[in-house]
Amino acid sequence: MNMVDHPQHYGSEDDIYEVIKVIEAWHLGFNLGNAVKYIGRAGKKNDYIEDLKKAVWYLQREIKLAECEPKCGR
């Protein structure tokens, strides 16, 4: 198991649903990609609830940016 390139808590190199592969295939960007990352690893590396709260944090950040988009020029 390679903890740098393909850690088990994000899937593995042979897993077609390895988190990084999904994020890149769906072109999710930073905030949505991190939300998926924390959902995908929930309970596998750290505390389950903490991982879900981190996912929510990134989703809320993306929502704020999307709401600001018309006036902020994102």
Side-chain angles (χ1 to χ4, degrees):
M1 171 173 55
N2 187 327
M3 290 302 293
V4 174
D5 293 337
H6 301 283
Q8 195 65 35
H9 54 272
Y10 293 126
S12 65
E13 185 173 12
D14 298 328
D15 185 348
I16 62 169
Y17 300 111
E18 182 182 17
V19 172
I20 195 166
K21 293 174 188 171
V22 172
I23 291 167
E24 290 173 347
W26 292 354
H27 308 283
L28 292 181
F30 187 79
N31 291 322
L32 294 179
N34 275 306
V36 168
K37 174 182 80 171
Y38 284 113
I39 291 167
R41 81 169 204 192
K44 295 176 186 161
K45 182 178 179 188
N46 292 326
D47 178 77
Y48 180 74
I49 299 297
E50 181 179 294
D51 284 338
L52 295 179
K53 286 180 179 181
K54 288 177 181 179
V56 168
W57 188 89
Y58 280 105
L59 288 172
Q60 289 173 334
R61 185 168 176 84
E62 183 65 21
I63 290 167
K64 286 180 187 176
L65 288 172
E67 289 174 341
C68 175
E69 190 171 306
K71 57 186 174 245
C72 298
R74 180 178 160 209

